[in-house]
């Protein structure tokens, strides 16, 4: 008879209870999004859409980047910890295989999520894995806030939508991890540096 390695409840033959297994799956899905949000937190949140691109240095030695976030990211702790768990799970499940090379946080999280049923049923350290992933999530949320990531308004759509030159003007929103912006009203797509600079250039003045 086993108990959940995280909460201690009886689990029969499993190493995690159903609730903690579901939460681990959710956290593995959230971690890459949280990391992407950390990137956005590098620029202090007091800056606006235009100020992020064109800023004047503040008096004194203060960095234009959020040094707390830099410390959180520079350590590489999140990616390193998750990858070490992927290596160990593979070692236990397929001891004949060589350790997987680093492939990035998102890929490692996806791999662990795909193996979660086996982990819950066969991996004795499942509770420690769940505990460390929970700690990583808490550390990231302490920086970026909770809940995250939320869609943020980054500007107004500048697409011309009729023969009279009417500009759409709908709000353009972005969520961490997205590489393209899509207007929800006219479906205009902004993708790549040129599109984004054009979008920024034609934003209405306050």
């Amino acid at each position: 008879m086993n108990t959940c390695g995280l909460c201690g409840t009886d689990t029969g033959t499993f190493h995690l209870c159903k609730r903690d297994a579901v939460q681990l799956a959710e956290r593995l899905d959230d971690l890459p999004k949280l990391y992407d949000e950390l990137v956005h937190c590098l620029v202090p949140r007091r800056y606006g859409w235009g100020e992020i691109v064109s800023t004047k240095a503040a008096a004194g030695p203060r960095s234009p980047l959020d040094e707390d976030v830099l410390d959180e990211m520079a350590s590489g702790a999140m990616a390193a910890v998750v990858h070490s768990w992927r290596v160990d799970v593979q070692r236990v499940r397929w001891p004949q295989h060589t350790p997987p090379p680093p492939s990035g946080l998102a890929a490692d999280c996806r791999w662990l999520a795909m193996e979660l049923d086996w982990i819950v049923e066969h991996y004795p350290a499942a509770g420690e894995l769940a505990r460390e992933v929970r700690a990583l999530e808490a550390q990231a949320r302490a920086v970026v806030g909770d809940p995250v990531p939320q869609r943020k308004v980054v500007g107004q759509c500048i697409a011309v939508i009729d023969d009279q030159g009417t500009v759409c003007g709908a709000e353009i929103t972005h969520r961490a991890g997205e590489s393209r912006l899509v207007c929800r009203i006219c479906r205009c797509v902004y993708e790549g540096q040129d599109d984004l600079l054009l979008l920024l250039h034609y934003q209405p003045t306050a």
Side-chain angles (χ1 to χ4, degrees):
M1 180 69 68
N2 290 328
T3 58
C4 176
L6 195 59
C7 69
T9 58
D10 291 337
T11 55
T13 60
F14 301 117
H15 296 288
L16 279 178
C17 67
K18 184 175 181 180
R19 182 193 64 178
D20 286 326
V22 169
Q23 290 180 347
L24 175 56
E26 292 173 348
R27 287 175 177 131
L28 288 170
D29 183 61
D30 284 344
L31 281 185
K33 302 171 189 175
L34 287 164
Y35 188 84
D36 288 337
E37 186 71 5
L38 286 172
V39 176
H40 292 273
C41 289
L42 282 173
V43 178
R45 292 183 183 273
R46 70 175 182 273
Y47 294 133
W49 167 259
E51 294 170 300
I52 289 177
V53 176
S54 178
T55 61
K56 293 182 179 179
R62 178 174 174 80
S63 168
L65 301 180
D66 190 319
E67 294 176 3
D68 291 337
V69 180
L70 278 175
D71 290 342
E72 179 74 21
M73 296 179 66
S75 67
M78 185 181 291
V81 168
V82 173
H83 184 69
S84 71
W85 281 109
R86 175 179 178 177
V87 169
D88 196 61
V89 170
Q90 179 176 302
R91 177 190 62 82
V92 175
R93 187 169 189 186
W94 296 293
Q96 73 276 18
H97 290 182
T98 57
S103 55
L105 176 64
D108 287 338
C109 286
R110 284 194 302 269
W111 189 93
L112 288 168
M114 290 172 61
E115 299 297 328
L116 194 53
D117 287 343
W118 182 91
I119 290 170
V120 169
E121 188 169 356
H122 299 288
Y123 187 56
E128 287 301 314
L129 165 60
R131 187 173 292 106
E132 286 212 45
V133 170
R134 182 177 65 183
L136 291 174
E137 180 201 40
Q139 290 167 9
R141 288 189 186 278
V143 175
V144 305
D146 186 28
V148 294
Q150 298 294 319
R151 300 201 72 88
K152 299 176 182 178
V153 176
V154 297
Q156 296 180 13
C157 181
I158 61 172
V160 176
I161 57 176
D162 59 29
D163 293 340
Q164 285 70 49
T166 304
V167 174
C168 174
E171 290 183 341
I172 298 291
T173 61
H174 172 267
R175 179 159 46 206
E178 294 178 339
S179 59
R180 62 205 297 264
L181 306 178
V182 181
C183 176
R184 294 186 175 184
I185 303 301
C186 72
R187 310 308 299 173
C188 180
V189 175
Y190 302 91
E191 188 170 17
Q193 183 177 7
D194 291 344
D195 282 356
L196 296 178
L197 288 175
L198 192 67
L199 177 65
L200 174 62
H201 179 75
Y202 286 104
Q203 288 301 296
T205 57

